[in-house]
Amino acid sequence: MLVALRSVIYNIFYVLWSLFMALTYLPLLPILSPQKFLKLVRFWLSGMIWGARIICGIRWQIEGRENLPQGACIIASKHQSAWETLFYHLLVEDPVYALKKELLSIPLIGWYMRKTRMIAVDRGAGAAALRTVLRKAEPALAENRQMIIFPEGTRVAPGDHKPWQPGVAALYARFGDQVPLIPVALNSGLCWGRNSFIKRPGLITIKILPPVPKGLSKKEVVDYLKEAIESSSDALCEKPPQ
């Protein structure tokens, strides 16, 4: 009962905080540079993360931070909830996501995604969508941004697995000799379910694994990432959040 009540309070906070921030930032949209606007977005999202900690008791810890380099990199992450899409803005300096283009049509939020130069992808475009990601990833990485990719392409419940999309292998083939590819495992779905209104208290672990070796084939890099990310995430999910 207490968990449900805290979840109700948090979701109300989530909506009101987002609405307040979105309207407050609107006059600044045409004025600030994308880099400065991203700092405002980081403050907005940090409020959501800290709100979840204070209201719902969702804490976090980071393992393997030494594996996260300074500057440009590609982060291939397990994706279990909306929580990590917020948290990566706190973890890295200048994140860029490849996201479905429909999100850019959402009033206010979509405008801010466009302002901060997220990579919009038409998922129905097949190979053309992959070419779009590769073309737009090049200048982003050249600007020392950190590209976040979820290889399964969607949120997946703890312990579950979905087919991997070809994007991560294509990014590695194109940029793997230029920037490190960093696998990340996590267990966020134990506290913040993929489609759940309920937010459960506990400790989320984000485990940053060593960079993928260079010179692998597309099949080898996918096999390497699957073994690293899935086994580590499954191990984290076997432990109840403390």
Side-chain angles (χ1 to χ4, degrees):
M1 184 66 179
L2 180 59
V3 170
L5 177 60
R6 294 170 80 179
S7 298
V8 169
I9 294 171
Y10 177 72
N11 281 284
I12 293 172
F13 163 78
Y14 186 106
V15 171
L16 294 179
W17 173 256
S18 294
L19 183 61
F20 174 75
M21 289 288 102
L23 294 176
T24 300
Y25 290 171
L26 186 57
L28 302 174
L29 187 63
I31 299 172
L32 296 181
S33 67
Q35 293 83 358
K36 290 182 178 179
F37 203 86
L38 187 61
K39 292 181 179 179
L40 297 181
V41 171
R42 182 175 291 114
F43 177 76
W44 176 353
L45 301 184
S46 68
M48 295 182 182
I49 291 290
W50 281 100
R53 178 165 187 158
I54 294 167
I55 299 170
C56 298
I58 299 177
R59 297 165 290 116
W60 66 88
Q61 66 177 2
I62 301 169
E63 297 181 0
R65 188 186 284 271
E66 68 276 7
N67 294 318
L68 189 63
Q70 297 291 321
C73 66
I74 300 169
I75 295 174
S77 174
K78 188 68 177 176
H79 191 21
Q80 293 183 352
S81 81
W83 184 91
E84 56 266 17
T85 65
L86 309 176
F87 188 77
Y88 274 122
H89 282 80
L90 282 65
L91 182 63
V92 300
E93 184 66 25
D94 195 1
V96 55
Y97 292 85
L99 45 83
K100 55 185 181 181
K101 69 173 187 178
E102 291 83 0
L103 294 176
L104 299 187
S105 301
I106 300 174
L108 298 177
I109 293 175
W111 305 344
Y112 300 151
M113 289 178 177
R114 192 184 300 274
K115 178 71 175 184
T116 53
R117 299 173 299 164
M118 300 297 125
I119 298 174
V121 180
D122 181 357
R123 292 186 175 181
L130 184 55
R131 289 193 294 270
T132 297
V133 171
L134 294 174
R135 186 180 72 253
K136 294 185 176 182
E138 186 168 9
L141 294 171
E143 294 173 6
N144 278 329
R145 303 187 73 185
Q146 299 80 42
M147 185 165 186
I148 316 296
I149 185 167
F150 301 114
E152 290 167 290
T154 187
R155 289 170 289 178
V156 180
D160 198 4
H161 306 95
K162 297 291 185 184
W164 279 37
Q165 303 301 312
V168 66
L171 285 165
Y172 176 84
R174 174 72 67 86
F175 304 110
D177 59 344
Q178 304 170 33
V179 300
L181 173 59
I182 310 297
V184 176
L186 47 76
N187 61 350
S188 57
L190 296 178
C191 295
W192 187 315
R194 59 189 296 264
N195 291 314
S196 177
F197 178 85
I198 297 297
K199 310 294 187 289
R200 302 186 182 280
L203 180 66
I204 293 175
T205 299
I206 304 94
K207 188 170 185 177
I208 305 169
L209 302 167
V212 175
K214 297 184 183 297
L216 302 182
S217 68
K218 287 185 176 181
K219 181 180 184 306
E220 288 171 336
V221 72
V222 170
D223 289 343
Y224 183 96
L225 284 171
K226 277 186 177 181
E227 172 60 27
I229 295 174
E230 301 291 17
S231 62
S232 294
S233 294
D234 287 347
L236 291 173
C237 289
E238 288 175 359
K239 305 174 184 178
Q242 301 294 313

